[in-house]
């Protein structure tokens, strides 16, 4: 009976470790998603055309068509989209002060669960 309790304890420890790993992974995805949403909101405020935004999205999807081994595909797509958006000429030409003041505001995209 003692051996059975030890095995159950080990299984629970492994499950807890897997849950913690998944929590960290989801936290990273959430952070990257928030970054992408903030950039999209900034581009919307700068009146980016739907065509330009569509090109950015298609470019992202094309570059992430074949998932890289060992990398979470969702995170890879979000990370690529983030980099594509930051390279957008509208954001590059935005005055530095305006970009910083926008980030200083509280984030209206945060959703509490």
């Amino acid at each position: 009976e003692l051996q059975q309790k030890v095995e159950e304890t080990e299984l629970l420890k492994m499950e807890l470790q897997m849950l913690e790993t998944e929590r960290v992974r989801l936290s990273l995805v959430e952070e990257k998603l928030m970054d992408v949403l903030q950039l999209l909101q900034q581009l919307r405020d700068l009146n980016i055309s739907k065509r330009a935004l569509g090109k950015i999205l298609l470019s992202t999807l094309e570059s992430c068509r074949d998932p890289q081994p060992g990398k979470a595909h969702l995170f890879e797509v979000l990370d690529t989209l983030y980099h594509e958006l930051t390279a957008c000429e509208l954001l590059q030409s935005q005055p530095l002060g305006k970009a910083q003041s926008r980030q200083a505001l509280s984030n209206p995209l945060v959703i509490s669960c």
Side-chain angles (χ1 to χ4, degrees), residues 24-110:
V24 169
R25 186 188 71 79
L26 288 174
S27 179
L28 291 173
V29 168
E30 180 184 27
E31 285 178 29
K32 188 57 72 172
L33 182 59
M34 292 303 298
D35 292 342
V36 166
L37 289 174
Q38 285 177 335
L39 287 172
L40 287 170
Q41 189 172 31
Q42 286 179 3
L43 286 169
R44 184 195 65 195
D45 293 344
L46 294 171
N47 295 323
I48 188 170
S49 72
K50 290 179 183 178
R51 176 172 287 216
L53 194 55
K55 285 181 182 180
I56 292 171
L57 184 57
L58 288 175
S59 172
T60 298
L61 294 175
E62 181 64 30
S63 65
C64 295
R65 185 176 40 180
D66 299 321
Q68 295 179 7
K71 212 174 179 190
H73 188 63
L74 174 63
F75 188 80
E76 180 185 354
V77 171
L78 285 173
D79 192 47
T80 303
L81 180 57
Y82 175 80
H83 290 292
E84 291 278 342
L85 290 170
T86 55
C88 180
E89 289 178 14
L90 276 176
L91 286 177
Q92 298 297 323
S93 64
Q94 183 181 20
L96 185 61
K98 190 174 181 181
Q100 287 176 340
S101 67
R102 205 179 287 269
Q103 289 175 352
L105 299 174
S106 67
N107 189 346
L109 299 172
V110 174

